[in-house]
Amino acid sequence: MIYTLTTNPAVDMNVNADTLTTKKVNRTRDAVYTPNGKGLNVSFTLGHYGVESVILGFFGGFSGDYIVREAEKRCPVRPVLIDGITRVNIFVTTPEGEYKFPNAGAPVSREKQLEMLELLRGLDDLECLVVSGSLSPEMDASYYDELIDVCQEKGAEFVLDISHPHLADLVERHPLLIKPNDEEVAEIFGVDVADEGDILSALAHIHERGAKNILLTLGGEGAYFSNGEHVWRASAAKVKVLSTACAGDATLASFLSAWLGARDEVEPALVRAMATGGNVAMCAGLGDFALVDEIARSIEVTQLS
Ligand SMILES: O=P(O)(O)OC[C@@]1(O)O[C@H](CO)[C@@H](O)[C@@H]1O
């Protein structure tokens, strides 16, 4: 079974506004509230493609209750309940573009962190843990190591979609897959990603450090996938972007939904990933994936080596 762990879930609130300025009341409209956090988005997208997963995360307060209740309609959820209030992240779309306001989130006490590790240790069907998103306040980066320790004790694989600088060390623990974007690769691994030559060197460098597979996303410029032996380039979907929130998570999950069970068939997995990410970028939240097949026809994948 695949488990997704969201260390810092959120209700996402997407709104539209004509302008966003100081010294003025910024009226917004068209509010869309969705139960989110990066790992939840991964589970919802896996579910769309018929791949079962279980949601793990820390939830509290009215917003935490809402997320658990809504998520349970789509996937099994094993929550660890905390005292604080799960954050509400705000995404404001204006004619000039999108403003993102993620909150730091509710603190998760050490006791609750240990409760999650115990929950993980008690799972008898853990095959792959997808760890996604930021850490809650009071969580040290070493929590990632503790999660990986449990996965390795249990012989499970793990996937990391995190932007913490500690990722540079965590790749030495041989994650099955990491999904950084170009900015994260440059900042975390201290390498250039200005052109394809740089990107290929960066991928080789990250493999040398220990990552088994890398899905490098470049937003509107497409993506690269490398399995340490071969590298593929995928074009981006040409779509009218409404909100990029959730698009990266949907890209990762849709890639996993095809690739986990057929690891030699990278091309169809990349086509699905880019089309799904593109469709999600057209919507507030994850949307309904209705245009994926149509968008997929325009995605080009090239094997580079
Ligand atoms: O603060 P994090 O955990 O890095 O990101 C949280 C978040 O922005 O990521 C998702 C989109 O990827 C949203 O659903 C959610 O609000």
Side-chain angles (χ1 to χ4, degrees):
M1 176 64 75
I2 302 172
Y3 284 77
T4 63
L5 171 59
T6 309
T7 37
N8 198 6
V11 172
D12 285 354
M13 182 177 86
N14 282 264
V15 293
N16 291 320
D18 292 331
T19 53
L20 208 52
T21 55
T22 56
K23 299 184 193 142
K24 177 178 165 308
V25 175
N26 293 290
R27 297 273 174 201
T28 64
R29 56 179 186 281
D30 313 319
V32 177
Y33 301 91
T34 45
N36 291 104
K38 288 190 158 62
L40 284 107
N41 296 337
V42 170
S43 274
F44 296 152
T45 308
L46 286 172
H48 172 75
Y49 287 110
V51 177
E52 283 180 41
S53 68
V54 179
I55 292 170
L56 303 174
F58 301 94
F59 302 94
F62 74 96
S63 43
D65 289 348
Y66 165 75
I67 297 175
V68 172
R69 198 172 57 244
E70 290 302 310
E72 275 172 342
K73 294 177 189 165
R74 300 160 80 168
C75 292
V77 185
R78 300 281 307 268
V80 167
L81 300 178
I82 57 170
D83 289 335
I85 297 177
T86 294
R87 62 187 172 156
V88 177
N89 288 344
I90 302 171
F91 299 87
V92 186
T93 301
T94 71
E96 303 96 64
E98 187 186 26
Y99 292 83
K100 303 182 185 189
F101 301 97
N103 184 259
V108 173
S109 66
R110 183 65 187 151
E111 190 194 344
K112 294 294 173 180
Q113 295 174 30
L114 294 173
E115 190 178 322
M116 179 63 79
L117 293 172
E118 262 326 287
L119 192 164
L120 269 180
R121 259 187 215 105
L123 300 175
D124 52 17
D125 59 353
L126 177 67
E127 288 169 317
C128 182
L129 180 69
V130 182
V131 182
S132 296
S134 59
L135 292 172
S136 299
E138 292 188 16
M139 271 182 177
D140 190 83
S142 59
Y143 194 58
Y144 290 126
D145 294 276
E146 295 182 282
L147 292 166
I148 294 170
D149 288 344
V150 178
C151 289
Q152 294 187 333
E153 274 161 33
K154 298 184 74 70
E157 309 250 41
F158 63 98
V159 171
L160 298 175
D161 181 15
I162 60 173
S163 33
H164 198 285
H166 191 39
L167 180 63
D169 306 311
L170 294 173
V171 291
E172 292 171 10
R173 313 248 351 230
H174 309 299
L176 173 64
L177 177 71
I178 62 169
K179 191 210 70 70
N181 61 30
D182 45 347
E183 250 175 57
E184 289 162 347
V185 163
E187 277 169 23
I188 297 172
F189 295 95
V191 292
D192 287 332
V193 284
D195 57 31
E196 191 159 86
D198 288 344
I199 288 173
L200 297 179
S201 312
L203 291 170
H205 169 76
I206 300 170
H207 280 302
E208 259 167 45
R209 303 268 319 241
K212 292 184 190 167
N213 297 280
I214 307 160
L215 178 59
L216 167 60
T217 55
L218 308 173
E221 301 301 314
Y224 288 80
F225 174 75
S226 168
N227 63 8
E229 251 182 277
H230 304 290
V231 180
W232 290 258
R233 179 182 59 217
S235 65
K238 290 184 182 54
V239 296
K240 187 166 185 300
V241 174
L242 176 71
S243 166
T244 56
C246 305
D249 312 331
T251 303
L252 169 63
S254 50
F255 181 81
L256 288 175
S257 71
W259 175 79
L260 273 179
R263 298 193 190 176
D264 290 337
E265 292 175 33
V266 171
E267 192 174 323
L270 275 175
V271 169
R272 177 184 279 187
M274 303 315 288
T276 308
N279 195 179
V280 169
M282 298 168 73
C283 315
L286 281 173
D288 61 5
F289 306 106
L291 297 177
V292 170
D293 290 344
E294 191 185 320
I295 297 170
R297 290 196 277 276
S298 66
I299 304 293
E300 282 170 25
V301 175
T302 313
Q303 184 170 344
L304 300 177
S305 64

